[in-house]
Amino acid sequence: MVRRLLVAVGLVLALAVAFIASIILASETGAEVVTVETEEPDGSTRKTRLWVVDDGDFAWLRAGMGPVPWLDQATTKGTLVMIRGGAREVYAVTVFDDPVSRHHIHAMMREKYGANDRYIDLIRDGDRSAAVRLERVDEPGDD
């Protein structure tokens, strides 16, 4: 009896680990993954890997549920650094936390990332996400 219980518990744990690993794999194998850099309170750099979509002159990110440290840091400073295709650029951050913007970002992500986005939906509450618009900031010396 105890042996069967241990086997069952082990199987449940193995399935949970496999599910989490598959979510991580799905998020890292999307059409495009960028690195976002924000500043930690101690001055160090936080690096976060995210999906990105483009709409007109803006790049868009999607922030998930609950506390999102990279987003909190970016909104506090007003900017973040995005490394995309080898280019490292500074962007102004604007957060849209309304149903229309959420629907728009979800639709753009679904179009670009397809089945991976649908799979991530298994753990994401779309009603609690935020659309994050990025506008490139010209730094001194840019022409």
Side-chain angles (χ1 to χ4, degrees), residues 4-142:
R4 284 186 179 165
L5 180 61
L6 289 175
V7 169
V9 168
L11 182 58
V12 168
L13 287 174
L15 289 172
V17 168
F19 177 72
I20 292 168
S22 69
I23 292 290
I24 292 169
L25 181 64
S27 69
E28 287 295 318
T29 58
E32 179 181 22
V33 180
V34 298
T35 300
V36 168
E37 295 181 346
T38 55
E39 188 176 331
E40 296 274 16
D42 67 3
S44 64
T45 300
R46 170 186 290 273
K47 293 183 180 188
T48 307
R49 295 179 52 77
L50 298 166
W51 289 351
V52 63
V53 292
D54 297 301
D55 189 24
D57 292 334
F58 302 105
W60 291 82
L61 305 172
R62 178 171 56 195
M65 309 169 292
V68 182
W70 71 263
L71 183 59
D72 294 341
Q73 293 160 355
T75 55
T76 296
K77 187 172 181 179
T79 61
L80 58 72
V81 172
M82 182 169 61
I83 302 168
R84 184 178 192 183
R88 185 178 190 277
E89 296 183 306
V90 178
Y91 290 85
V93 174
T94 306
V95 177
F96 295 86
D97 192 16
D98 62 272
V100 172
S101 297
R102 275 193 293 273
H103 175 73
H104 186 62
I105 189 76
H106 294 324
M108 289 189 300
M109 290 285 183
R110 179 64 46 89
E111 182 178 328
K112 183 172 181 177
Y113 294 94
N116 287 14
D117 186 61
R118 283 188 291 282
Y119 191 62
I120 298 294
D121 274 350
L122 294 173
I123 63 165
R124 184 180 56 78
D125 180 356
D127 292 337
R128 295 178 54 204
S129 298
V132 182
R133 186 181 73 193
L134 304 180
E135 183 174 6
R136 189 170 179 277
V137 174
D138 290 328
E139 295 188 288
D142 286 351

